[in-house]
Amino acid sequence: MIVLLKRMFPAMRVKISGLDPHQQYYIAMDIVPVDNKRYRYVYHSSKWMVAGNADSPVPPRVYIHPDSPASGETWMRQVISFDKLKLTNNELDDQGHIILHSMHKYQPRVHVIRKDCGDDLSPVKPIPSGEGVKAFSFPETVFTTVTAYQNQQITRLKIDRNPFAKGFRDSGRNRMGLEALVESYAFWRPSLRTLTFEDIPGIPKQEHYLYPRA
DNA sequence: ATCTGAGGTGTGAAAGCC
DNA sequence: GGCTTTCACACCTCAGAT
């Protein structure tokens, strides 16, 4: 899904409840390695296989949601989308984009940060820890980075679902076949997730739900 | 409502790497 | 030689200007 500078697709979308409506919060995302392995796609078995050790770690980067900071009421009222998040494989990137290695597995994490804990938040600095900061991650959002698609079904999926790729769509495609394909890919399961905070601003327990995509 | 420029897509060929 | 990465390209969306 990545090369040079690309958006993440499909984008992560989350819904949060349980925030203090009057408290200001930052929402941020970072992406961490799942393991220290490099992968390659094996066509004949249609599986990702370990192909060696991971490349050297890249500088940690943070995507701060552009609506930040905003009140808990604002965040809870909307579905929070990370569709503007950009990924790069350029380790020398100085624009604050999230840097990843190709052919590695990563886990996106959503961070909810109380404003007083996030005043020195920066795209090029690790997310602060402690009281007032909470991270959420969902195992089904783990993904493998590539510079070229390894699976033609994924290419077709993206062409049909990403508006910017409309120019590559065929007019007579079999929609039912596509829907079946969508169902078969875990990462494509509804990207809308819900985080529930029980005791804000004290920071909370995690709970999440899966919603069927309309 | 229409125009326009910036920027987001996958493709396919060529280059680079091991 | 096979796999991965990079690049130019055409086509598209989107947002701001008029």
mmCIF file with all atom_site columns, all heavy atoms in Angstrom, chain B residues 15-18, chain C residues 1-5:
data_model
loop_
_atom_site.group_PDB
_atom_site.id
_atom_site.type_symbol
_atom_site.label_atom_id
_atom_site.label_alt_id
_atom_site.label_comp_id
_atom_site.label_asym_id
_atom_site.label_entity_id
_atom_site.label_seq_id
_atom_site.pdbx_PDB_ins_code
_atom_site.Cartn_x
_atom_site.Cartn_y
_atom_site.Cartn_z
_atom_site.occupancy
_atom_site.B_iso_or_equiv
_atom_site.pdbx_formal_charge
_atom_site.auth_seq_id
_atom_site.auth_comp_id
_atom_site.auth_asym_id
_atom_site.auth_atom_id
_atom_site.pdbx_PDB_model_num
ATOM 1   P P     . DA B 1 15 ? 16.811 1.330   -17.709 1.00 0.00 ? 15 DA B P     1
ATOM 2   O OP1   . DA B 1 15 ? 17.530 2.469   -18.321 1.00 0.00 ? 15 DA B OP1   1
ATOM 3   O OP2   . DA B 1 15 ? 17.040 -0.059  -18.187 1.00 0.00 ? 15 DA B OP2   1
ATOM 4   O "O5'" . DA B 1 15 ? 17.075 1.367   -16.126 1.00 0.00 ? 15 DA B "O5'" 1
ATOM 5   C "C5'" . DA B 1 15 ? 16.494 2.434   -15.374 1.00 0.00 ? 15 DA B "C5'" 1
ATOM 6   C "C4'" . DA B 1 15 ? 16.667 2.150   -13.898 1.00 0.00 ? 15 DA B "C4'" 1
ATOM 7   O "O4'" . DA B 1 15 ? 15.720 1.140   -13.489 1.00 0.00 ? 15 DA B "O4'" 1
ATOM 8   C "C3'" . DA B 1 15 ? 18.055 1.628   -13.515 1.00 0.00 ? 15 DA B "C3'" 1
ATOM 9   O "O3'" . DA B 1 15 ? 18.508 2.348   -12.392 1.00 0.00 ? 15 DA B "O3'" 1
ATOM 10  C "C2'" . DA B 1 15 ? 17.821 0.143   -13.222 1.00 0.00 ? 15 DA B "C2'" 1
ATOM 11  C "C1'" . DA B 1 15 ? 16.376 0.145   -12.744 1.00 0.00 ? 15 DA B "C1'" 1
ATOM 12  N N9    . DA B 1 15 ? 15.636 -1.102  -12.953 1.00 0.00 ? 15 DA B N9    1
ATOM 13  C C8    . DA B 1 15 ? 15.516 -1.812  -14.111 1.00 0.00 ? 15 DA B C8    1
ATOM 14  N N7    . DA B 1 15 ? 14.771 -2.889  -14.002 1.00 0.00 ? 15 DA B N7    1
ATOM 15  C C5    . DA B 1 15 ? 14.366 -2.878  -12.679 1.00 0.00 ? 15 DA B C5    1
ATOM 16  C C6    . DA B 1 15 ? 13.557 -3.748  -11.927 1.00 0.00 ? 15 DA B C6    1
ATOM 17  N N6    . DA B 1 15 ? 12.983 -4.845  -12.432 1.00 0.00 ? 15 DA B N6    1
ATOM 18  N N1    . DA B 1 15 ? 13.350 -3.449  -10.625 1.00 0.00 ? 15 DA B N1    1
ATOM 19  C C2    . DA B 1 15 ? 13.931 -2.358  -10.120 1.00 0.00 ? 15 DA B C2    1
ATOM 20  N N3    . DA B 1 15 ? 14.719 -1.464  -10.727 1.00 0.00 ? 15 DA B N3    1
ATOM 21  C C4    . DA B 1 15 ? 14.893 -1.782  -12.019 1.00 0.00 ? 15 DA B C4    1
ATOM 22  P P     . DG B 1 16 ? 19.949 2.058   -11.801 1.00 0.00 ? 16 DG B P     1
ATOM 23  O OP1   . DG B 1 16 ? 20.482 3.365   -11.340 1.00 0.00 ? 16 DG B OP1   1
ATOM 24  O OP2   . DG B 1 16 ? 20.731 1.210   -12.720 1.00 0.00 ? 16 DG B OP2   1
ATOM 25  O "O5'" . DG B 1 16 ? 19.600 1.177   -10.518 1.00 0.00 ? 16 DG B "O5'" 1
ATOM 26  C "C5'" . DG B 1 16 ? 18.594 1.651   -9.614  1.00 0.00 ? 16 DG B "C5'" 1
ATOM 27  C "C4'" . DG B 1 16 ? 18.430 0.666   -8.480  1.00 0.00 ? 16 DG B "C4'" 1
ATOM 28  O "O4'" . DG B 1 16 ? 17.624 -0.454  -8.931  1.00 0.00 ? 16 DG B "O4'" 1
ATOM 29  C "C3'" . DG B 1 16 ? 19.735 0.085   -7.957  1.00 0.00 ? 16 DG B "C3'" 1
ATOM 30  O "O3'" . DG B 1 16 ? 19.696 0.124   -6.539  1.00 0.00 ? 16 DG B "O3'" 1
ATOM 31  C "C2'" . DG B 1 16 ? 19.744 -1.345  -8.509  1.00 0.00 ? 16 DG B "C2'" 1
ATOM 32  C "C1'" . DG B 1 16 ? 18.254 -1.660  -8.570  1.00 0.00 ? 16 DG B "C1'" 1
ATOM 33  N N9    . DG B 1 16 ? 17.850 -2.651  -9.558  1.00 0.00 ? 16 DG B N9    1
ATOM 34  C C8    . DG B 1 16 ? 18.183 -2.677  -10.885 1.00 0.00 ? 16 DG B C8    1
ATOM 35  N N7    . DG B 1 16 ? 17.646 -3.689  -11.531 1.00 0.00 ? 16 DG B N7    1
ATOM 36  C C5    . DG B 1 16 ? 16.924 -4.368  -10.565 1.00 0.00 ? 16 DG B C5    1
ATOM 37  C C6    . DG B 1 16 ? 16.132 -5.547  -10.659 1.00 0.00 ? 16 DG B C6    1
ATOM 38  O O6    . DG B 1 16 ? 15.912 -6.240  -11.661 1.00 0.00 ? 16 DG B O6    1
ATOM 39  N N1    . DG B 1 16 ? 15.577 -5.899  -9.438  1.00 0.00 ? 16 DG B N1    1
ATOM 40  C C2    . DG B 1 16 ? 15.749 -5.199  -8.274  1.00 0.00 ? 16 DG B C2    1
ATOM 41  N N2    . DG B 1 16 ? 15.144 -5.687  -7.186  1.00 0.00 ? 16 DG B N2    1
ATOM 42  N N3    . DG B 1 16 ? 16.485 -4.099  -8.156  1.00 0.00 ? 16 DG B N3    1
ATOM 43  C C4    . DG B 1 16 ? 17.037 -3.745  -9.341  1.00 0.00 ? 16 DG B C4    1
ATOM 44  P P     . DC B 1 17 ? 21.003 -0.248  -5.713  1.00 0.00 ? 17 DC B P     1
ATOM 45  O OP1   . DC B 1 17 ? 21.088 0.728   -4.609  1.00 0.00 ? 17 DC B OP1   1
ATOM 46  O OP2   . DC B 1 17 ? 22.158 -0.447  -6.634  1.00 0.00 ? 17 DC B OP2   1
ATOM 47  O "O5'" . DC B 1 17 ? 20.611 -1.664  -5.102  1.00 0.00 ? 17 DC B "O5'" 1
ATOM 48  C "C5'" . DC B 1 17 ? 19.319 -1.821  -4.501  1.00 0.00 ? 17 DC B "C5'" 1
ATOM 49  C "C4'" . DC B 1 17 ? 19.090 -3.274  -4.162  1.00 0.00 ? 17 DC B "C4'" 1
ATOM 50  O "O4'" . DC B 1 17 ? 18.689 -3.993  -5.353  1.00 0.00 ? 17 DC B "O4'" 1
ATOM 51  C "C3'" . DC B 1 17 ? 20.319 -3.989  -3.611  1.00 0.00 ? 17 DC B "C3'" 1
ATOM 52  O "O3'" . DC B 1 17 ? 19.948 -4.638  -2.405  1.00 0.00 ? 17 DC B "O3'" 1
ATOM 53  C "C2'" . DC B 1 17 ? 20.683 -4.991  -4.715  1.00 0.00 ? 17 DC B "C2'" 1
ATOM 54  C "C1'" . DC B 1 17 ? 19.335 -5.237  -5.377  1.00 0.00 ? 17 DC B "C1'" 1
ATOM 55  N N1    . DC B 1 17 ? 19.374 -5.662  -6.801  1.00 0.00 ? 17 DC B N1    1
ATOM 56  C C2    . DC B 1 17 ? 18.658 -6.790  -7.191  1.00 0.00 ? 17 DC B C2    1
ATOM 57  O O2    . DC B 1 17 ? 18.005 -7.422  -6.347  1.00 0.00 ? 17 DC B O2    1
ATOM 58  N N3    . DC B 1 17 ? 18.685 -7.163  -8.492  1.00 0.00 ? 17 DC B N3    1
ATOM 59  C C4    . DC B 1 17 ? 19.393 -6.449  -9.373  1.00 0.00 ? 17 DC B C4    1
ATOM 60  N N4    . DC B 1 17 ? 19.388 -6.854  -10.645 1.00 0.00 ? 17 DC B N4    1
ATOM 61  C C5    . DC B 1 17 ? 20.135 -5.296  -8.996  1.00 0.00 ? 17 DC B C5    1
ATOM 62  C C6    . DC B 1 17 ? 20.096 -4.937  -7.699  1.00 0.00 ? 17 DC B C6    1
ATOM 63  P P     . DC B 1 18 ? 21.113 -5.141  -1.429  1.00 0.00 ? 18 DC B P     1
ATOM 64  O OP1   . DC B 1 18 ? 20.695 -4.748  -0.072  1.00 0.00 ? 18 DC B OP1   1
ATOM 65  O OP2   . DC B 1 18 ? 22.433 -4.736  -1.955  1.00 0.00 ? 18 DC B OP2   1
ATOM 66  O "O5'" . DC B 1 18 ? 20.982 -6.728  -1.550  1.00 0.00 ? 18 DC B "O5'" 1
ATOM 67  C "C5'" . DC B 1 18 ? 19.702 -7.337  -1.342  1.00 0.00 ? 18 DC B "C5'" 1
ATOM 68  C "C4'" . DC B 1 18 ? 19.751 -8.778  -1.789  1.00 0.00 ? 18 DC B "C4'" 1
ATOM 69  O "O4'" . DC B 1 18 ? 19.688 -8.839  -3.236  1.00 0.00 ? 18 DC B "O4'" 1
ATOM 70  C "C3'" . DC B 1 18 ? 21.031 -9.512  -1.373  1.00 0.00 ? 18 DC B "C3'" 1
ATOM 71  O "O3'" . DC B 1 18 ? 20.685 -10.779 -0.835  1.00 0.00 ? 18 DC B "O3'" 1
ATOM 72  C "C2'" . DC B 1 18 ? 21.794 -9.666  -2.679  1.00 0.00 ? 18 DC B "C2'" 1
ATOM 73  C "C1'" . DC B 1 18 ? 20.651 -9.766  -3.684  1.00 0.00 ? 18 DC B "C1'" 1
ATOM 74  N N1    . DC B 1 18 ? 21.000 -9.402  -5.072  1.00 0.00 ? 18 DC B N1    1
ATOM 75  C C2    . DC B 1 18 ? 20.464 -10.145 -6.128  1.00 0.00 ? 18 DC B C2    1
ATOM 76  O O2    . DC B 1 18 ? 19.715 -11.085 -5.875  1.00 0.00 ? 18 DC B O2    1
ATOM 77  N N3    . DC B 1 18 ? 20.794 -9.800  -7.397  1.00 0.00 ? 18 DC B N3    1
ATOM 78  C C4    . DC B 1 18 ? 21.603 -8.767  -7.627  1.00 0.00 ? 18 DC B C4    1
ATOM 79  N N4    . DC B 1 18 ? 21.888 -8.466  -8.902  1.00 0.00 ? 18 DC B N4    1
ATOM 80  C C5    . DC B 1 18 ? 22.158 -8.000  -6.568  1.00 0.00 ? 18 DC B C5    1
ATOM 81  C C6    . DC B 1 18 ? 21.831 -8.343  -5.320  1.00 0.00 ? 18 DC B C6    1
ATOM 82  P P     . DG C 2 1  ? 19.434 -15.377 -17.052 1.00 0.00 ? 1  DG C P     1
ATOM 83  O OP1   . DG C 2 1  ? 19.251 -16.516 -17.936 1.00 0.00 ? 1  DG C OP1   1
ATOM 84  O OP2   . DG C 2 1  ? 19.341 -13.990 -17.509 1.00 0.00 ? 1  DG C OP2   1
ATOM 85  O "O5'" . DG C 2 1  ? 18.521 -15.539 -15.748 1.00 0.00 ? 1  DG C "O5'" 1
ATOM 86  C "C5'" . DG C 2 1  ? 18.582 -16.750 -14.978 1.00 0.00 ? 1  DG C "C5'" 1
ATOM 87  C "C4'" . DG C 2 1  ? 17.730 -16.570 -13.743 1.00 0.00 ? 1  DG C "C4'" 1
ATOM 88  O "O4'" . DG C 2 1  ? 18.355 -15.586 -12.863 1.00 0.00 ? 1  DG C "O4'" 1
ATOM 89  C "C3'" . DG C 2 1  ? 16.320 -16.055 -14.022 1.00 0.00 ? 1  DG C "C3'" 1
ATOM 90  O "O3'" . DG C 2 1  ? 15.436 -16.701 -13.118 1.00 0.00 ? 1  DG C "O3'" 1
ATOM 91  C "C2'" . DG C 2 1  ? 16.416 -14.557 -13.737 1.00 0.00 ? 1  DG C "C2'" 1
ATOM 92  C "C1'" . DG C 2 1  ? 17.453 -14.519 -12.610 1.00 0.00 ? 1  DG C "C1'" 1
ATOM 93  N N9    . DG C 2 1  ? 18.256 -13.295 -12.542 1.00 0.00 ? 1  DG C N9    1
ATOM 94  C C8    . DG C 2 1  ? 18.726 -12.540 -13.585 1.00 0.00 ? 1  DG C C8    1
ATOM 95  N N7    . DG C 2 1  ? 19.434 -11.517 -13.205 1.00 0.00 ? 1  DG C N7    1
ATOM 96  C C5    . DG C 2 1  ? 19.421 -11.592 -11.822 1.00 0.00 ? 1  DG C C5    1
ATOM 97  C C6    . DG C 2 1  ? 20.022 -10.748 -10.856 1.00 0.00 ? 1  DG C C6    1
ATOM 98  O O6    . DG C 2 1  ? 20.703 -9.739  -11.034 1.00 0.00 ? 1  DG C O6    1
ATOM 99  N N1    . DG C 2 1  ? 19.756 -11.200 -9.565  1.00 0.00 ? 1  DG C N1    1
ATOM 100 C C2    . DG C 2 1  ? 19.026 -12.310 -9.250  1.00 0.00 ? 1  DG C C2    1
ATOM 101 N N2    . DG C 2 1  ? 18.881 -12.572 -7.951  1.00 0.00 ? 1  DG C N2    1
ATOM 102 N N3    . DG C 2 1  ? 18.457 -13.097 -10.147 1.00 0.00 ? 1  DG C N3    1
ATOM 103 C C4    . DG C 2 1  ? 18.700 -12.678 -11.401 1.00 0.00 ? 1  DG C C4    1
ATOM 104 P P     . DG C 2 2  ? 13.905 -16.641 -13.416 1.00 0.00 ? 2  DG C P     1
ATOM 105 O OP1   . DG C 2 2  ? 13.416 -18.025 -13.528 1.00 0.00 ? 2  DG C OP1   1
ATOM 106 O OP2   . DG C 2 2  ? 13.605 -15.643 -14.469 1.00 0.00 ? 2  DG C OP2   1
ATOM 107 O "O5'" . DG C 2 2  ? 13.378 -16.048 -12.021 1.00 0.00 ? 2  DG C "O5'" 1
ATOM 108 C "C5'" . DG C 2 2  ? 13.897 -16.590 -10.806 1.00 0.00 ? 2  DG C "C5'" 1
ATOM 109 C "C4'" . DG C 2 2  ? 13.680 -15.605 -9.684  1.00 0.00 ? 2  DG C "C4'" 1
ATOM 110 O "O4'" . DG C 2 2  ? 14.626 -14.516 -9.809  1.00 0.00 ? 2  DG C "O4'" 1
ATOM 111 C "C3'" . DG C 2 2  ? 12.286 -14.967 -9.664  1.00 0.00 ? 2  DG C "C3'" 1
ATOM 112 O "O3'" . DG C 2 2  ? 11.799 -15.004 -8.338  1.00 0.00 ? 2  DG C "O3'" 1
ATOM 113 C "C2'" . DG C 2 2  ? 12.526 -13.542 -10.151 1.00 0.00 ? 2  DG C "C2'" 1
ATOM 114 C "C1'" . DG C 2 2  ? 13.949 -13.292 -9.642  1.00 0.00 ? 2  DG C "C1'" 1
ATOM 115 N N9    . DG C 2 2  ? 14.697 -12.273 -10.364 1.00 0.00 ? 2  DG C N9    1
ATOM 116 C C8    . DG C 2 2  ? 14.770 -12.103 -11.719 1.00 0.00 ? 2  DG C C8    1
ATOM 117 N N7    . DG C 2 2  ? 15.539 -11.109 -12.087 1.00 0.00 ? 2  DG C N7    1
ATOM 118 C C5    . DG C 2 2  ? 15.996 -10.588 -10.888 1.00 0.00 ? 2  DG C C5    1
ATOM 119 C C6    . DG C 2 2  ? 16.863 -9.493  -10.629 1.00 0.00 ? 2  DG C C6    1
ATOM 120 O O6    . DG C 2 2  ? 17.412 -8.741  -11.459 1.00 0.00 ? 2  DG C O6    1
ATOM 121 N N1    . DG C 2 2  ? 17.068 -9.306  -9.268  1.00 0.00 ? 2  DG C N1    1
ATOM 122 C C2    . DG C 2 2  ? 16.511 -10.065 -8.282  1.00 0.00 ? 2  DG C C2    1
ATOM 123 N N2    . DG C 2 2  ? 16.824 -9.729  -7.025  1.00 0.00 ? 2  DG C N2    1
ATOM 124 N N3    . DG C 2 2  ? 15.709 -11.091 -8.499  1.00 0.00 ? 2  DG C N3    1
ATOM 125 C C4    . DG C 2 2  ? 15.488 -11.297 -9.819  1.00 0.00 ? 2  DG C C4    1
ATOM 126 P P     . DC C 2 3  ? 10.287 -14.658 -8.065  1.00 0.00 ? 3  DC C P     1
ATOM 127 O OP1   . DC C 2 3  ? 9.723  -15.771 -7.272  1.00 0.00 ? 3  DC C OP1   1
ATOM 128 O OP2   . DC C 2 3  ? 9.616  -14.211 -9.302  1.00 0.00 ? 3  DC C OP2   1
ATOM 129 O "O5'" . DC C 2 3  ? 10.430 -13.403 -7.105  1.00 0.00 ? 3  DC C "O5'" 1
ATOM 130 C "C5'" . DC C 2 3  ? 11.345 -13.466 -6.029  1.00 0.00 ? 3  DC C "C5'" 1
ATOM 131 C "C4'" . DC C 2 3  ? 11.700 -12.064 -5.580  1.00 0.00 ? 3  DC C "C4'" 1
ATOM 132 O "O4'" . DC C 2 3  ? 12.501 -11.425 -6.598  1.00 0.00 ? 3  DC C "O4'" 1
ATOM 133 C "C3'" . DC C 2 3  ? 10.485 -11.155 -5.346  1.00 0.00 ? 3  DC C "C3'" 1
ATOM 134 O "O3'" . DC C 2 3  ? 10.593 -10.621 -4.038  1.00 0.00 ? 3  DC C "O3'" 1
ATOM 135 C "C2'" . DC C 2 3  ? 10.614 -10.067 -6.411  1.00 0.00 ? 3  DC C "C2'" 1
ATOM 136 C "C1'" . DC C 2 3  ? 12.116 -10.067 -6.682  1.00 0.00 ? 3  DC C "C1'" 1
ATOM 137 N N1    . DC C 2 3  ? 12.512 -9.564  -8.015  1.00 0.00 ? 3  DC C N1    1
ATOM 138 C C2    . DC C 2 3  ? 13.427 -8.511  -8.100  1.00 0.00 ? 3  DC C C2    1
ATOM 139 O O2    . DC C 2 3  ? 13.867 -8.027  -7.057  1.00 0.00 ? 3  DC C O2    1
ATOM 140 N N3    . DC C 2 3  ? 13.788 -8.043  -9.317  1.00 0.00 ? 3  DC C N3    1
ATOM 141 C C4    . DC C 2 3  ? 13.286 -8.599  -10.417 1.00 0.00 ? 3  DC C C4    1
ATOM 142 N N4    . DC C 2 3  ? 13.680 -8.123  -11.598 1.00 0.00 ? 3  DC C N4    1
ATOM 143 C C5    . DC C 2 3  ? 12.361 -9.688  -10.355 1.00 0.00 ? 3  DC C C5    1
ATOM 144 C C6    . DC C 2 3  ? 12.009 -10.135 -9.152  1.00 0.00 ? 3  DC C C6    1
ATOM 145 P P     . DT C 2 4  ? 9.413  -9.723  -3.454  1.00 0.00 ? 4  DT C P     1
ATOM 146 O OP1   . DT C 2 4  ? 9.294  -10.042 -2.024  1.00 0.00 ? 4  DT C OP1   1
ATOM 147 O OP2   . DT C 2 4  ? 8.234  -9.785  -4.341  1.00 0.00 ? 4  DT C OP2   1
ATOM 148 O "O5'" . DT C 2 4  ? 10.040 -8.255  -3.589  1.00 0.00 ? 4  DT C "O5'" 1
ATOM 149 C "C5'" . DT C 2 4  ? 11.300 -7.991  -2.984  1.00 0.00 ? 4  DT C "C5'" 1
ATOM 150 C "C4'" . DT C 2 4  ? 11.730 -6.584  -3.297  1.00 0.00 ? 4  DT C "C4'" 1
ATOM 151 O "O4'" . DT C 2 4  ? 12.051 -6.473  -4.702  1.00 0.00 ? 4  DT C "O4'" 1
ATOM 152 C "C3'" . DT C 2 4  ? 10.678 -5.500  -3.008  1.00 0.00 ? 4  DT C "C3'" 1
ATOM 153 O "O3'" . DT C 2 4  ? 11.301 -4.511  -2.214  1.00 0.00 ? 4  DT C "O3'" 1
ATOM 154 C "C2'" . DT C 2 4  ? 10.283 -4.996  -4.388  1.00 0.00 ? 4  DT C "C2'" 1
ATOM 155 C "C1'" . DT C 2 4  ? 11.543 -5.268  -5.207  1.00 0.00 ? 4  DT C "C1'" 1
ATOM 156 N N1    . DT C 2 4  ? 11.349 -5.457  -6.662  1.00 0.00 ? 4  DT C N1    1
ATOM 157 C C2    . DT C 2 4  ? 12.077 -4.672  -7.535  1.00 0.00 ? 4  DT C C2    1
ATOM 158 O O2    . DT C 2 4  ? 12.851 -3.814  -7.174  1.00 0.00 ? 4  DT C O2    1
ATOM 159 N N3    . DT C 2 4  ? 11.844 -4.940  -8.868  1.00 0.00 ? 4  DT C N3    1
ATOM 160 C C4    . DT C 2 4  ? 11.000 -5.888  -9.395  1.00 0.00 ? 4  DT C C4    1
ATOM 161 O O4    . DT C 2 4  ? 10.896 -6.032  -10.608 1.00 0.00 ? 4  DT C O4    1
ATOM 162 C C5    . DT C 2 4  ? 10.273 -6.678  -8.425  1.00 0.00 ? 4  DT C C5    1
ATOM 163 C C7    . DT C 2 4  ? 9.325  -7.723  -8.895  1.00 0.00 ? 4  DT C C7    1
ATOM 164 C C6    . DT C 2 4  ? 10.481 -6.425  -7.121  1.00 0.00 ? 4  DT C C6    1
ATOM 165 P P     . DT C 2 5  ? 10.488 -3.244  -1.742  1.00 0.00 ? 5  DT C P     1
ATOM 166 O OP1   . DT C 2 5  ? 11.009 -2.867  -0.418  1.00 0.00 ? 5  DT C OP1   1
ATOM 167 O OP2   . DT C 2 5  ? 9.046  -3.468  -1.959  1.00 0.00 ? 5  DT C OP2   1
ATOM 168 O "O5'" . DT C 2 5  ? 10.971 -2.134  -2.781  1.00 0.00 ? 5  DT C "O5'" 1
ATOM 169 C "C5'" . DT C 2 5  ? 12.363 -1.862  -2.885  1.00 0.00 ? 5  DT C "C5'" 1
ATOM 170 C "C4'" . DT C 2 5  ? 12.603 -0.790  -3.930  1.00 0.00 ? 5  DT C "C4'" 1
ATOM 171 O "O4'" . DT C 2 5  ? 12.287 -1.319  -5.234  1.00 0.00 ? 5  DT C "O4'" 1
ATOM 172 C "C3'" . DT C 2 5  ? 11.768 0.479   -3.758  1.00 0.00 ? 5  DT C "C3'" 1
ATOM 173 O "O3'" . DT C 2 5  ? 12.654 1.575   -3.789  1.00 0.00 ? 5  DT C "O3'" 1
ATOM 174 C "C2'" . DT C 2 5  ? 10.810 0.452   -4.948  1.00 0.00 ? 5  DT C "C2'" 1
ATOM 175 C "C1'" . DT C 2 5  ? 11.596 -0.348  -5.979  1.00 0.00 ? 5  DT C "C1'" 1
ATOM 176 N N1    . DT C 2 5  ? 10.810 -1.097  -6.989  1.00 0.00 ? 5  DT C N1    1
ATOM 177 C C2    . DT C 2 5  ? 11.084 -0.898  -8.323  1.00 0.00 ? 5  DT C C2    1
ATOM 178 O O2    . DT C 2 5  ? 11.925 -0.119  -8.732  1.00 0.00 ? 5  DT C O2    1
ATOM 179 N N3    . DT C 2 5  ? 10.329 -1.663  -9.181  1.00 0.00 ? 5  DT C N3    1
ATOM 180 C C4    . DT C 2 5  ? 9.362  -2.587  -8.844  1.00 0.00 ? 5  DT C C4    1
ATOM 181 O O4    . DT C 2 5  ? 8.741  -3.214  -9.716  1.00 0.00 ? 5  DT C O4    1
ATOM 182 C C5    . DT C 2 5  ? 9.111  -2.750  -7.431  1.00 0.00 ? 5  DT C C5    1
ATOM 183 C C7    . DT C 2 5  ? 8.073  -3.714  -6.964  1.00 0.00 ? 5  DT C C7    1
ATOM 184 C C6    . DT C 2 5  ? 9.846  -2.002  -6.586  1.00 0.00 ? 5  DT C C6    1
#
